[in-house]
Amino acid sequence: VQLVESGGGLVQAGGSLRLSCAHSGFAFDDYAIGWFRQAPGKEREAVGCIKNSDKSTYYYADSVKGRFTISSDNAKNTVYLQMNSLKPEDTAVYYCADACTLLAAEAVGFWGQGTQVTVSS
């Protein structure tokens, strides 16, 4: 399994970014892709995930509910993280992995290399 994130950058508070996670190598369709982030000096946290089997989405970080949306395009083998109304506290390196929970992702998951998101005030 390979995962490659893209789409990060510098944005002003209140702006939007869309991150992409291009994936390959899944042998079956019942996979999940999770988004995680790690801010400077903080532990990595789970943002949310999407399950490919039924396209159900889950958002774990209360701070992103209502602002972030996860979606997928199977034709492009890509999962997206649409981030709106960005805040300086959203500044972090964002990762995708093939699991919904941080525990599972860190234990047995495959990770992308991460993409930096910086939100200026």
Side-chain angles (χ1 to χ4, degrees):
V1 173
Q2 284 192 320
L3 303 164
V4 179
E5 303 95 338
S6 62
L10 174 64
V11 64
Q12 288 188 330
S16 298
L17 279 176
R18 189 178 75 163
L19 305 184
S20 299
C21 174
H23 57 82
S24 62
F26 288 113
F28 304 100
D29 291 337
D30 61 342
Y31 58 85
I33 298 289
W35 283 99
F36 304 85
R37 67 184 182 181
Q38 187 165 21
K42 295 187 178 181
E43 294 186 352
R44 194 175 297 184
E45 67 170 344
V47 174
C49 79
I50 185 167
K51 293 186 175 181
N52 185 63
S53 57
D54 59 3
K55 298 296 187 283
S56 56
T57 55
Y58 304 87
Y59 300 93
Y60 301 123
D62 289 339
S63 61
V64 309
K65 292 178 181 177
R67 299 190 297 122
F68 289 11
T69 303
I70 298 173
S71 62
S72 66
D73 184 338
N74 280 12
K76 296 182 178 180
N77 284 346
T78 300
V79 169
Y80 302 100
L81 178 64
Q82 177 68 44
M83 305 185 294
N84 298 328
S85 302
L86 282 162
K87 304 175 182 179
E89 50 264 43
D90 294 317
T91 295
V93 178
Y94 284 72
Y95 302 87
C96 60
D98 63 338
C100 271
T101 67
L102 186 57
L103 185 64
E106 290 186 337
V108 296
F110 290 91
W111 291 80
Q113 81 287 354
T115 186
Q116 175 71 47
V117 171
T118 302
V119 184
S120 63
S121 57

